[in-house]
Amino acid sequence: KVNPEPQQKQHCNVGTIGHVDHGKTTLTAAITKIMEQKGQSKYTSYDDIDSAPEEKSRGITINIAHVYYQTSLRHYAHTDCPGHADYVKNMISGTSQMDCAILLVAATDGQMPQTVEHLLLAKQIGIQHIVVFINKADLVDKDTLELVELEIRELLSDFGFDGNDCPVIFGSALKALKGEETEYGVPSVHRLMDALDKYVPTPVRDYTSPFEMPIDNVFSVPGRGTVVTGTIKKGTIKKGDDAVVLGFNEEHKTQASGLQVFKKNVEVAVAGDNVGVLVKNLKVATLEKGMLLCARNSKKISNHYVANIYFLTKGEGGRSKPIIGKYIQQMFSATWNCAVRIDLKEGQDMFMPGQHGQVLLTLIKKMVMSDGQSFTVRENNKTVATGTIVKTLE
Ligand code: GDP
Ligand code: MG
């Protein structure tokens, strides 16, 4: 059983990434203008995109612009951020959940430090598809464009992206925005739209990976037993399946002896469903919100993780003082929170507010976290950091 999708166009979340001044905002404006002429977007000017209002997400403030357009194939929600720090926060906190990214590289500069940083973050948050727009093609010769293409394909491959086969488009966001019908003008935006449609698969819910559901409530049903509820993150569960509950140092084997979706008994539930699972032989007192119900032998609990983290500045509501290791606070992720110690990596002696990089996390209790899973750290109920899991350590 797969829940019916609404009978409308499929949807894809995309975002521009790349070094400052490489043309992300100009391209975003150009796309909306050109697609508006086909009745498939609403023009949003450069200034409107760049003066995007602040948005609060997961307790942190991000400047982020959302624009929308559609092709004959699907709807796109597209995000663009004004500053580098906004990109870091947006990507690390998972705010706009990009399914794919348009990487802007100005042909006049080639790859630059923020090009590399954004690609690294894209990789860590699980973005698989990148379409490259080599911008400012109006300012260089053909040889330079081809050299930049070669360089960027190598960089993408180095990061584990599909550097050989991903689409690379030469264009000029500025000429496109001005409506010029020359090769690098308007047609380059149409080539970009085609590339997105053809290269990026429509994201689908993952029905085939091992079953995973973060528990958001536990209660007992008189005469029946213990029920856990949550939204299925991955996979499929059938009535009678073996399962295990993991988290807060504990592992409890069980069996899904009953399933309910929308208060109706069902035989099968899939990713995206809100489900109540009757867990055989488990007492309410042994379970708690924040544990993970999952397929047996699919996940391990651990105290130790490597994470990418961003510390908010004082102006963003974060700390005023640097972190110098052995920093203990409360960490929030999925449906749980737990005390965590944050240690700096060897060779680093402090982390300033506004900085991002890798740290080691030690949770006071063993939990399950997947690569790419996001979390926040709070001090006195204020978010001071946001992060993404890079690796689980034994
Ligand atoms: P962002 O920081 O990546 O969002 O870059 P912007 O879109 O703000 O562009 C930075 C500057 O580059 C602006 O002055 C744009 O007008 C200019 N620019 C953007 N695209 C092009 C282009 O294709 N050709 C030329 N010559 N200039 C461009
Ligand atoms: Mg910009």
Side-chain angles (χ1 to χ4, degrees):
K1 173 218 144 213
V2 171
N3 286 343
E5 288 289 330
Q7 293 302 305
Q8 43 175 252
K9 263 191 204 171
Q10 289 177 315
H11 182 86
C12 185
N13 295 315
V14 60
T16 33
I17 59 171
H19 195 75
V20 62
D21 278 345
H22 279 198
K24 300 179 292 294
T25 304
T26 311
L27 181 68
T28 302
I31 296 172
T32 61
K33 190 169 183 183
I34 290 163
M35 298 312 276
E36 184 182 67
Q37 283 155 8
K38 303 176 81 182
Q40 294 175 325
S41 186
K42 189 181 166 307
Y43 174 48
T44 314
S45 74
Y46 181 97
D47 288 340
D48 280 343
I49 296 166
D50 239 26
S51 57
E54 290 185 334
E55 187 170 297
K56 274 243 178 233
S57 173
R58 306 176 72 94
I60 60 173
T61 306
I62 307 176
N63 283 95
I64 184 167
H66 306 271
V67 303
Y68 304 89
Y69 44 86
Q70 52 176 304
T71 60
S72 49
L73 189 70
R74 43 182 188 206
H75 287 289
Y76 290 90
H78 172 130
T79 53
D80 183 62
C81 297
H84 176 60
D86 295 301
Y87 274 101
V88 171
K89 285 189 280 178
N90 177 38
M91 293 172 85
I92 291 183
S93 67
T95 297
S96 58
Q97 300 204 316
M98 284 191 272
D99 302 311
C100 61
I102 303 169
L103 175 66
L104 271 278
V105 187
T108 44
D109 281 346
Q111 68 181 63
M112 293 288 278
Q114 290 164 8
T115 319
V116 176
E117 257 183 85
H118 290 186
L119 274 182
L120 183 65
L121 289 173
K123 190 72 206 175
Q124 285 167 351
I125 61 175
I127 291 179
Q128 287 174 4
H129 296 89
I130 304 244
V131 174
V132 181
F133 192 88
I134 297 183
N135 193 31
K136 309 198 184 185
D138 54 309
L139 298 178
V140 301
D141 58 24
K142 196 92 190 184
D143 285 353
T144 308
L145 285 174
E146 277 165 14
L147 216 60
V148 172
E149 173 179 355
L150 209 70
E151 185 191 61
I152 204 74
R153 285 191 185 280
E154 271 176 23
L155 182 69
L156 285 166
S157 298
D158 286 349
F159 278 113
F161 291 108
D162 178 20
N164 288 331
D165 293 323
C166 74
V168 173
I169 287 133
F170 298 149
S172 165
L174 196 58
K175 280 182 181 288
L177 183 60
K178 287 180 180 159
E180 287 187 29
E181 286 293 343
T182 49
E183 185 188 354
Y184 297 140
V186 174
S188 73
V189 166
H190 289 307
R191 290 199 295 277
L192 174 64
M193 295 293 103
D194 275 352
L196 282 178
D197 275 355
K198 293 208 178 89
Y199 179 66
V200 182
T202 298
V204 286
R205 290 204 171 119
D206 180 354
Y207 302 121
T208 52
S209 288
F211 171 80
E212 233 180 280
M213 183 191 88
I215 295 173
D216 60 25
N217 203 359
V218 183
F219 53 90
S220 94
V221 178
R224 295 211 68 195
T226 301
V227 170
V228 295
T229 62
T231 304
I232 301 176
K233 200 167 125 194
K234 281 185 182 170
T236 300
I237 189 166
K238 294 194 294 295
K239 190 175 161 183
D241 275 356
D242 284 338
V244 62
V245 176
L246 301 175
F248 300 110
N249 286 344
E250 300 188 17
E251 299 191 29
H252 302 286
K253 286 188 178 144
T254 185
Q255 203 180 27
S257 44
L259 298 173
Q260 280 205 336
V261 176
F262 291 120
K263 297 186 175 160
K264 287 212 171 70
N265 291 320
V266 295
E267 294 296 310
V268 184
V270 300
D273 283 345
N274 278 307
V275 62
V277 183
L278 189 62
V279 285
K280 195 173 173 182
N281 294 333
L282 295 183
K283 293 210 165 62
V284 169
T286 59
L287 302 180
E288 67 182 292
K289 171 181 170 153
M291 290 174 162
L292 185 80
L293 177 70
C294 59
R296 292 227 189 131
N297 305 318
S298 65
K299 292 277 171 190
K300 280 207 174 93
I301 51 175
S302 175
N303 299 100
H304 302 286
Y305 298 90
V306 178
N308 216 332
I309 199 164
Y310 170 79
F311 283 95
L312 279 70
T313 62
K314 189 159 185 244
E316 291 167 345
R319 292 168 54 88
S320 52
K321 295 202 182 113
I323 310 294
I324 37 178
K326 291 190 182 166
Y327 172 68
I328 298 176
Q329 288 301 341
Q330 203 70 6
M331 172 166 151
F332 292 74
S333 189
T335 54
W336 53 266
N337 68 86
C338 177
V340 65
R341 191 182 76 205
I342 301 178
D343 290 302
L344 307 183
K345 289 191 110 176
E346 230 172 26
Q348 185 173 11
D349 41 39
M350 69 162 86
F351 234 114
M352 292 300 291
Q355 255 192 325
H356 71 102
Q358 289 199 348
V359 291
L360 300 169
L361 304 178
T362 305
L363 293 169
I364 199 164
K365 298 252 171 96
K366 289 184 180 172
M367 303 298 293
V368 181
M369 296 195 80
S370 310
D371 294 354
Q373 185 168 334
S374 54
F375 63 87
T376 59
V377 177
R378 293 187 208 159
E379 216 180 298
N380 304 324
N381 281 326
K382 282 202 321 198
T383 303
V384 293
T386 178
T388 309
I389 297 301
V390 174
K391 195 161 84 179
T392 303
L393 303 173
E394 288 296 310

